[in-house]
Amino acid sequence: MANLVYKRVSTDQQSTDRQNLVLAEAGIEDPVAFEEQAGTSSRLHPLQRPKFGELLTYARPGDTVHISEMFRLVRGTGHILDVLDVLHRDRLALRIHDGAFSAMDLTARHPRTGELLSTGKFMVQTLAAAGELQRDLQRELTYDGLRAAEAKGNKGRRRPAVTAAKAIAVRAAYLGGQSIAALARDHRVSRGAIRTAVADLMPEHCACR
């Protein structure tokens, strides 16, 4: 039985350092790694991503797929259920080692029928829907804020992003304990820009990124 590790980052400014740490702490025996090219969008359906496709082709019944957090593989409810259906079809187990889904056996089957447990599907749908609602609310708040700023004469121009030259220093400072707010002030960028630069180092704030 093989242990198949899947890794992905959303932008080419991020690294897999946090994923590597979580997976290393899990003590996975003889892992076979499949890592997407940096910047592979989370909007692309997991079943259409090159390396996840390679993983499924390589896998054999009884193998286990390991990911650090659920959002490295999927975002929305539909994606999660699609992936679970394929894993069930191919008789593969899924282990998530950090975040909201880490305590759940998402590929648990009924002892008599062999079907995925309905309780597991329900929990997946509930947690994923909660994450989607949180993102929608955040988008609405951002939109309302931009409209208010525009009404006051501020067009809502974006503050600069963290440059590649500064990213190393920002990430090191964050790992050293400096807050996102302090880093944003020091580098004269938005907190969002700092979060983007250190996204893969942050504790999981939802299951849906």
Side-chain angles (χ1 to χ4, degrees):
M1 306 297 182
N3 290 306
L4 314 178
V5 171
Y6 178 77
K7 295 184 281 186
R8 182 191 64 83
V9 292
S10 299
T11 74
D12 56 11
Q13 292 183 345
Q14 297 173 332
S15 76
T16 57
D17 290 349
R18 171 176 163 71
Q19 296 173 70
N20 293 338
L21 177 62
V22 170
L23 295 166
E25 289 177 345
I28 301 168
E29 185 177 354
D30 298 324
V32 181
F34 296 83
E35 182 176 337
E36 299 287 359
Q37 183 175 353
T40 300
S41 174
S42 61
R43 296 180 180 179
L44 184 64
H45 197 292
L47 300 179
Q48 297 175 338
R49 295 180 194 151
K51 287 299 179 180
F52 190 64
E54 288 184 20
L55 181 152
L56 292 176
T57 300
Y58 181 92
R60 296 293 179 268
D63 290 351
T64 300
V65 179
H66 298 265
I67 53 177
S68 57
E69 301 102 343
M70 176 62 91
F71 65 82
R72 299 300 177 185
L73 178 58
V74 296
R75 295 294 183 134
T77 308
H79 287 190
I80 295 175
L81 296 179
D82 288 346
V83 169
L84 288 181
D85 284 343
V86 169
L87 296 179
H88 177 246
R89 179 200 69 195
D90 294 347
R91 289 183 288 166
L92 305 175
L94 175 64
R95 286 293 312 278
I96 302 162
H97 294 280
D98 196 15
F101 291 92
S102 59
M104 300 172 59
D105 183 358
L106 301 181
T107 50
R109 295 170 174 80
H110 192 283
R112 290 193 300 274
T113 67
E115 295 298 318
L116 288 173
L117 292 178
S118 58
T119 51
K121 285 190 174 183
F122 174 76
M123 288 301 297
V124 167
Q125 290 171 318
T126 301
L127 288 171
E132 290 174 356
L133 175 61
Q134 181 182 28
R135 291 202 308 275
D136 288 343
L137 290 173
Q138 288 174 337
R139 282 194 292 266
E140 289 178 11
L141 289 171
T142 300
Y143 177 70
D144 288 345
L146 289 173
R147 289 187 63 189
E150 187 173 352
K152 293 180 180 180
N154 183 342
K155 300 301 181 182
R157 290 172 299 192
R158 287 187 174 184
R159 296 176 69 179
V162 176
T163 64
K166 291 183 178 180
I168 295 177
V170 166
R171 290 166 64 84
Y174 178 79
L175 289 173
Q178 194 165 356
S179 71
I180 287 175
L183 286 167
R185 287 194 302 271
D186 292 347
H187 293 276
R188 297 183 180 180
V189 297
S190 69
R191 295 184 185 186
I194 297 296
R195 289 192 186 95
T196 297
V198 302
D200 59 314
L201 306 177
M202 296 172 65
E204 181 184 7
H205 54 85
C206 75
C208 311
R209 190 180 170 203

